[in-house]
């Protein structure tokens, strides 16, 4: 795992110092080695920080050139099928100086050009400069596990793994993009190409970009898509369900086997839930000794998963360690605000960071269970949506709209308000924003006096809703391409890499993704009464009878309780109300704080405002 940064310009770059400064702002992504390279004409610069995972020798140093000398690469991530690609390329006459997957990727590009992407199985973001065509080639993995920001202009393209590396360039603007801010306050994250900083974009998952240093033109394209949705509901026979279970078993085992390959210690993040427990079972099948880790927060019993993880560890015979997070203090918040290049409304970044910090003391690579909910229908709101669809057919549309209007009149944070508002959405074509942070009226109040604000979130979100007729398919695809890509995977990447820990997700092997979206019918994902049906069927096969397959617990902290009094409440008040120069309307923020004290559910909303203000102050972003 690594950090990459670079620039490509039609003319020689005069200010080169920022490249090394930006590279070293990401030292946490790669503390083992670093490098920088400039083309002879000064038009292209590449920087790299290395966390050595495969081939720990100096032969894996980056930026890396191939034997011909006209290709340069910087890679962040892992190519899990590099051994197979290496054998295929060797048969074509290629020779290799190292055991590195980076060198294999470079050879794959020389052989197949940009079409090499179709052959890659991995999590990656990389840049290749081809001196023959004077083109810079950027690409990002299918699910979006590894980040890539870029800043295009008429004659220059800058890129980096983290926004902080780009902001090292003094020529880059530090102004807030009002559309991105509106999306953040509505959805809790910033979707697609949008970025919180004007002039910067994110390369979307499964996309590539080619920048010409001759013409200054860029070409952006999508190189992979989810399979076409299955047509309509279907009844699956017991025999067919058994075949699907067999196929999933084999796919997941192979994905875990590939992702356990490393030249450094590897562990499994075991929460005791279905996803991580199945990953543990597969790891034990393919490795002689498996280390598993779980974390607990003393004094907060309902967030403690150690008993469930212990059961799985005993069943699998792993070398299991239970790690104590200890007391969580507010000191962690400014640290995370700096690390998360764009603010994000997910307080589980705190336990994710603490877990990563503890696990890094024992291993350099950790394998987890991310992706199972989006692929196999695990979230509670899937069952709620299906239940709503059943019930709403009995309620006249005019009454649904009246109830939605009534929901808007309830105070922000009132339990059930979002679901009532969601009744205005036609479930035959749309999706309610069931986890909305601030609705449009609330955003207007928060940004009172900010003339640059314009409500863009609803339109942007509507454009991103998949055009599929089946409700569950629409919801899972929406979450896969938005919530998972822009929240879950961002959270895991930034929190783990802050601790120089590489986290892998076997469930996001593209073959498992294509299986889930291309072969598994909706009723084997979720129904109005159950969730993650097929995956739990596999758990019933492989885990002990006493394993609780129905339990669904997110990786959470008792943020609401912490905000009732004490240091956390004081910190939030001071950060949001303590002085002038804050972006958000003070009266509206005070009302949210008071509502939280009265028992309303505003803790994540307050977390959203806090993280934004801490981030803005850290990066000196003007209002």
């Amino acid at each position: 795992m690594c950090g990459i940064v670079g620039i490509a310009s039609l003319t020689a770059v005069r200010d080169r110092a920022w490249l090394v400064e930006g590279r070293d702002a990401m030292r946490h992504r790669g503390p083992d080695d670093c490098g920088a390279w400039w083309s002879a004409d000064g038009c292209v610069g590449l920087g790299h920080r290395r966390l050595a995972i495969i081939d720990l020798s100096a032969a894996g140093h980056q930026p890396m050139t191939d034997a011909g000398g006209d290709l340069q690469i910087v890679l962040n991530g892992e190519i899990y099928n590099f051994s197979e690609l290496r054998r295929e390329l060797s048969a074509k006459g290629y020779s290799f100086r190292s055991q590195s997957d980076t060198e294999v990727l470079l050879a794959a590009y020389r052989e197949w050009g940009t079409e090499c992407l179709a052959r890659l199985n991995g999590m990656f973001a990389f840049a290749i400069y081809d001196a023959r065509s004077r083109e810079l080639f950027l690409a990002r993995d299918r699910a979006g596990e590894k980040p890539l920001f870029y800043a295009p202009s008429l004659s220059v393209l800058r890129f980096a793994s983290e926004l902080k590396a780009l902001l090292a360039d003094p020529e880059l603007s530090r102004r807030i993009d009002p559309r991105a801010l509106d999306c953040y306050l509505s959805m809790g994250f910033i979707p697609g190409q949008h970025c919180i900083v004007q002039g910067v974009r994110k390369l979307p998952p499964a996309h590539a970009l080619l920048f010409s240093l001759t013409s200054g033109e860029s070409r952006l394209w999508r190189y992979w898509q989810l399979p076409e949705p299955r047509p309509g509901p279907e009844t699956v026979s017991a025999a067919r369900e058994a075949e699907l279970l067999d196929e999933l078993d084999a796919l997941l085992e192979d994905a875990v086997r590939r992702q356990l390959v490393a030249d450094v210690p590897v562990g499994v993040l075991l929460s005791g839930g279905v996803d991580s427990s199945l990953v543990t079972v597969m790891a034990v099948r393919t490795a002689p000794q498996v280390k598993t880790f779980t974390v607990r927060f003393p004094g907060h019993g309902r967030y403690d998963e150690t008993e469930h993880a212990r059961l799985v560890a005993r069943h699998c015979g792993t070398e299991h360690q239970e790690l104590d997070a200890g007391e969580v203090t507010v000191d962690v918040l400014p640290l995370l605000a700096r690390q998360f290049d764009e603010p994000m409304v997910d307080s589980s970044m705190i336990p994710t960071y603490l877990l990563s910090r503890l696990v890094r003391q024992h291993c350099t690579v950790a394998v987890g269970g991310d992706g199972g909910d989006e692929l196999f229908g695990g979230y509670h709101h899937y069952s709620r949506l299906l239940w709503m669809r059943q019930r709403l057919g009995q309620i006249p549309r005019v009454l649904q709209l009246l109830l939605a209007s009534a929901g808007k009149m309830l105070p922000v944070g009132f339990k059930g308000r979002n679901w009532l508002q969601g009744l205005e959405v036609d479930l035959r074509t749309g999706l309610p924003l069931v986890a909305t942070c601030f609705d449009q009226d609330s955003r207007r109040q928060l940004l009172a006096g900010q003339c640059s604000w314009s409500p863009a979130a609803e339109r942007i979100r509507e454009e991103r809703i998949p055009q599929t007729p089946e409700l569950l398919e629409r919801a899972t695809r929406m979450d896969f391409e938005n919530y998972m890509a822009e929240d879950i995977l961002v959270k895991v990447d930034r929190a783990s890499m802050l601790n120089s820990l590489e986290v892998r997700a076997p469930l996001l092997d593209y073959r498992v993704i294509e299986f889930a979206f291309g072969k598994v019918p909706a009723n084997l994902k979720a129904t109005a009464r159950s969730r993650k049906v097929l995956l739990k069927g596999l758990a019933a096969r492989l885990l002990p009878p006493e394993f609780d397959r129905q339990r669904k617990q997110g990786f959470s902290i008792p943020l609401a309780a912490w905000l009732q009094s004490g240091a956390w409440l004081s910190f939030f008040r001071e950060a949001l109300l303590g002085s002038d120069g804050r972006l958000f309307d003070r009266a509206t923020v005070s009302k949210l704080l008071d509502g939280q004290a009265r028992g309303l559910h505003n803790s994540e909303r307050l977390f959203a405002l806090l993280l934004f203000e801490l981030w803005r102050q850290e990066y000196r972003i003007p209002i």
Side-chain angles (χ1 to χ4, degrees), residues 402-434:
L402 285 172
L403 289 170
S405 297
K408 294 179 181 179
M409 299 172 65
L410 295 171
V412 174
F414 192 89
K415 191 172 184 179
R417 182 179 188 266
N418 290 344
W419 281 96
L420 281 173
Q421 288 183 274
L423 292 175
E424 69 181 358
V425 174
D426 186 346
L427 293 182
R428 293 172 297 180
T429 57
L431 285 172
L433 185 54
V434 295

Side-chain angles (χ1 to χ4, degrees), residues 199-418:
V200 179
R201 299 176 187 172
K202 292 177 299 211
L203 188 66
H207 278 69
L209 184 147
L210 206 58
F211 175 72
S212 170
L213 276 80
T214 302
S215 66
E217 296 179 351
S218 295
R219 179 169 70 92
L220 176 71
W221 75 97
R222 182 167 195 154
Y223 66 85
W224 176 87
Q225 299 190 72
L226 292 176
E228 287 296 314
R230 300 177 63 83
E234 64 180 282
T235 301
V236 180
S237 67
R240 177 55 181 156
E241 184 173 349
E243 290 175 359
L244 289 171
L245 284 170
D246 290 341
E247 187 172 355
L248 176 58
D249 191 325
L251 278 173
L252 189 54
E253 180 181 328
D254 188 64
V256 171
R257 177 184 60 79
R258 290 174 183 273
Q259 296 196 22
L260 289 177
V261 174
D263 295 329
V264 293
V266 180
V268 177
L269 305 178
L270 176 59
S271 70
V274 170
D275 304 342
S276 66
S277 297
L278 286 174
V279 168
T280 302
V281 170
M282 302 304 174
V284 170
R285 283 184 184 176
T286 58
Q289 181 59 52
V290 174
K291 294 182 179 181
T292 51
F293 301 92
T294 190
V295 67
R296 60 183 165 207
F297 296 90
H300 301 288
R302 78 183 183 93
Y303 297 93
D304 187 350
E305 299 184 290
T306 53
E307 179 184 342
H308 306 282
R310 197 179 301 150
L311 169 68
V312 176
R314 281 200 306 265
H315 175 74
C316 295
T318 67
E319 182 183 325
H320 188 59
Q321 294 195 51
E322 297 172 359
L323 308 173
D324 264 328
E327 182 184 2
V328 184
T329 67
V330 295
D331 296 338
V332 74
L333 297 174
L335 177 68
L336 292 176
R338 173 174 174 75
Q339 173 63 356
F340 280 71
D341 301 287
E342 295 181 298
M344 190 179 74
V345 189
D346 191 340
S347 62
S348 67
M349 66 173 64
I350 297 173
T352 304
Y353 162 73
L354 295 172
L355 171 64
S356 300
R357 186 177 68 183
L358 292 167
V359 170
R360 184 60 174 91
Q361 299 171 18
H362 304 274
C363 59
T364 311
V365 174
V367 180
D370 288 320
D373 289 316
E374 294 82 4
L375 269 60
F376 294 99
Y379 289 125
H380 287 290
H381 65 260
Y382 297 147
S383 289
R384 291 175 187 165
L385 283 171
L386 295 172
W387 181 87
M388 282 175 64
R389 183 180 62 184
Q390 291 177 2
R391 298 295 182 181
L392 289 182
Q394 305 167 20
I395 303 174
R397 184 64 179 157
V398 65
L399 181 55
Q400 294 177 34
L401 296 175
L402 285 172
L403 289 170
S405 297
K408 294 179 181 179
M409 299 172 65
L410 295 171
V412 174
F414 192 89
K415 191 172 184 179
R417 182 179 188 266
N418 290 344

Side-chain angles (χ1 to χ4, degrees), residues 76-82 85 105 114-126 138-148 203-208 221-227 258-259 375 464 477 479-482 484-486 489 505 507-515 517:
N76 169 28
E78 304 292 344
I79 309 300
Y80 298 129
N81 64 333
F82 79 96
L85 290 173
L105 175 54
T114 61
E115 296 301 315
C116 69
L117 291 170
R119 298 171 177 265
L120 303 182
N121 183 340
M123 57 173 184
F124 53 81
F126 65 79
L138 304 178
R140 192 174 173 208
D141 67 73
R142 294 169 177 86
E145 292 184 72
K146 295 296 102 189
L148 193 58
L203 188 66
H207 278 69
W221 75 97
R222 182 167 195 154
Y223 66 85
W224 176 87
Q225 299 190 72
L226 292 176
R258 290 174 183 273
Q259 296 196 22
L375 269 60
R464 297 183 66 82
R477 287 167 183 260
D479 283 341
F480 177 85
E481 295 186 337
N482 293 273
M484 188 192 76
E486 308 296 353
L489 296 181
L507 283 159
L508 293 179
D509 183 302
Y510 80 92
R511 299 166 303 163
V512 179
I513 298 171
E514 291 178 347
F515 169 80
F517 284 105

Side-chain angles (χ1 to χ4, degrees), residues 3-8 37 44-48 62-65 71-77 102 105-106 109 116-117 120 124-130 135-140 147-150 157-161 203 207-211:
I4 65 175
V5 62
I7 185 170
W37 172 88
V44 181
L46 302 176
H48 189 265
Q62 296 184 48
M64 181 183 290
T65 187
L71 299 180
Q72 290 281 345
I73 187 173
V74 282
L75 166 67
N76 169 28
T102 307
L105 175 54
L106 204 50
Y109 172 79
C116 69
L117 291 170
L120 303 182
F124 53 81
F126 65 79
I128 295 176
Y129 174 59
D130 188 338
E135 290 178 324
L136 182 72
F137 174 43
L138 304 178
R140 192 174 173 208
L148 193 58
F149 293 86
Y150 70 103
L157 182 78
R158 302 169 178 85
F159 67 88
S161 296
L203 188 66
H207 278 69
L209 184 147
L210 206 58
F211 175 72

